[in-house]
């Protein structure tokens, strides 16, 4: 059974250090599993045709590429490259496209509790970042080539498009039904991106005033290490 609620208060003091005791490690594992189960549940709800193997593959990719407290996930390049290299079949963008649409709809659904809408908004942000990474890998000749360009040309065109989530925008626009011209994924992603940047800015402003510690729920947790069977929560 997927946990419907996740304890966001645990994000107050999230960092990249190893757990200091067995209890803390156990709690991290519990919340990581709850987060992964939630994403898996929504992937299946969003796409009725997705297989269990595809859900597992997508959840593994989402966990490996998650940026954690960083501005973007460039530092996760080695984990992303290793995961995709070890896959017999590369993950498809399609599940992330439908997950983005599903979570966006939930985030705007006023019949849901605010906590559920906030949860959906967080997963939407995760889905957009994962889609941006995966489609950028497809567009730029594979993960090794993508991260080579991001590393060697940090101010280049690829880096600019990557930071602006342009690869996710392009993939979503390509998938958008032609009969729905009023909806613009470009505007939706811009709003999501600006909201995320604003949240991070407010968080750092709060930290500067208070001295230390993250405000509850404003920043995502550190991304898990792909090589060490991740135990950090993602949503």
């Amino acid at each position: 059974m997927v946990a419907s609620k996740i304890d966001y208060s645990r994000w107050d003091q999230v960092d990249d250090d190893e757990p200091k005791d067995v209890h803390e490690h156990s709690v991290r594992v519990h919340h990581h599993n709850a987060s992964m189960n939630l994403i898996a549940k929504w992937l299946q709800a969003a796409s009725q045709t997705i297989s269990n193997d595809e859900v597992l593959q997508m959840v593994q990719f989402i966990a490996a590429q998650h940026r954690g407290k960083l501005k973007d996930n460039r530092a996760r390049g080695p984990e992303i490259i290793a995961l995709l290299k070890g896959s017999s079949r590369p993950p498809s963008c399609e599940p992330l496209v439908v997950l983005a649409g599903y979570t966006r709809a939930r985030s705007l659904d006023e019949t849901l509790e605010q906590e559920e809408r906030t949860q959906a908004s967080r997963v939407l942000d995760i889905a957009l970042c994962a889609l941006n990474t995966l489609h950028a890998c497809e567009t730029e000749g594979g993960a090794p080539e993508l991260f080579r360009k991001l590393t060697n040309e940090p101010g280049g065109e690829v880096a600019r498009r990557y930071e602006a989530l342009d690869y996710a925008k392009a993939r979503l626009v390509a998938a958008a039904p032609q009969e729905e011209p009023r909806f613009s994924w470009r505007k939706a992603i811009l709003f999501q991106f600006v909201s995320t940047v604003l949240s991070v800015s407010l968080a750092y402003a709060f930290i500067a005033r208070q001295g230390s510690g993250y405000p509850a729920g404003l920043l995502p947790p550190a991304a898990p290490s792909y090589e060490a069977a991740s135990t950090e929560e993602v949503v």
Side-chain angles (χ1 to χ4, degrees):
M1 179 64 66
V2 177
S4 60
K5 294 185 178 180
I6 298 174
D7 181 11
Y8 293 118
S9 66
R10 289 202 67 257
W11 294 9
D12 290 357
Q13 298 290 338
V14 173
D15 54 40
D16 290 320
D17 296 334
E18 290 297 319
K20 297 178 177 59
D21 54 45
V22 174
H23 174 69
E24 182 180 352
H25 176 74
S26 177
V27 170
R28 288 190 181 189
V29 169
H30 170 75
H31 285 280
H32 169 72
N33 289 340
S35 300
M36 293 297 96
N37 284 339
L38 177 65
I39 292 174
K41 175 184 176 181
W42 284 357
L43 277 167
Q44 291 173 319
S47 175
Q48 301 298 324
T49 60
I50 192 170
S51 69
N52 290 337
D53 287 343
E54 289 172 322
V55 170
L56 176 60
Q57 182 185 45
M58 189 52 61
V59 167
Q60 289 175 335
F61 178 76
I62 288 172
Q65 65 79 49
H66 186 56
R67 69 177 181 269
K69 296 184 296 183
L70 304 176
K71 177 183 177 181
D72 58 44
N73 64 3
R74 291 190 218 193
R76 309 301 181 197
E79 288 92 339
I80 296 168
I81 292 170
L83 179 62
L84 294 180
K85 184 178 180 181
S87 300
S88 59
R89 180 168 55 90
S92 168
C93 288
E94 184 60 27
L96 292 171
V97 170
V98 294
L99 179 63
Y102 180 83
T103 51
R104 180 181 182 276
R106 288 185 67 90
S107 71
L108 299 175
D109 188 348
E110 296 183 356
T111 67
L112 297 176
E113 296 290 335
Q114 183 58 49
E115 182 177 358
E116 294 180 79
R117 295 174 63 186
T118 300
Q119 198 173 56
S121 182
R122 293 180 188 280
V123 177
L124 171 58
D125 180 60
I126 291 169
L128 292 175
C129 291
L131 179 60
N132 191 62
T133 298
L134 188 54
H135 191 51
C137 289
E138 295 176 345
T139 303
E140 300 300 333
E145 181 63 13
L146 169 65
F147 286 97
R148 183 194 67 78
K149 291 177 180 178
L150 293 176
T151 300
N152 295 343
E153 305 169 27
E157 179 66 12
V158 171
R160 185 198 64 75
R161 293 181 62 200
Y162 196 75
E163 291 176 5
L165 299 182
D166 279 353
Y167 293 98
K169 296 173 190 175
R171 185 62 180 81
L172 289 167
V173 169
Q178 296 301 314
E179 64 270 17
E180 297 182 10
R182 293 184 180 180
F183 175 66
S184 170
W185 265 114
R186 293 184 183 276
K187 293 181 180 179
I189 294 177
L190 177 61
F191 177 79
Q192 184 76 18
F193 180 73
V194 171
S195 297
T196 300
V197 172
L198 180 60
S199 295
V200 173
S201 299
L202 290 174
Y204 279 107
F206 182 90
I207 293 167
R209 290 185 179 181
Q210 301 300 321
S212 64
Y214 290 105
L218 279 182
L219 293 179
S225 170
Y226 168 68
E227 298 176 350
S230 64
T231 58
E232 295 289 346
E233 56 271 30
V234 174
V235 290

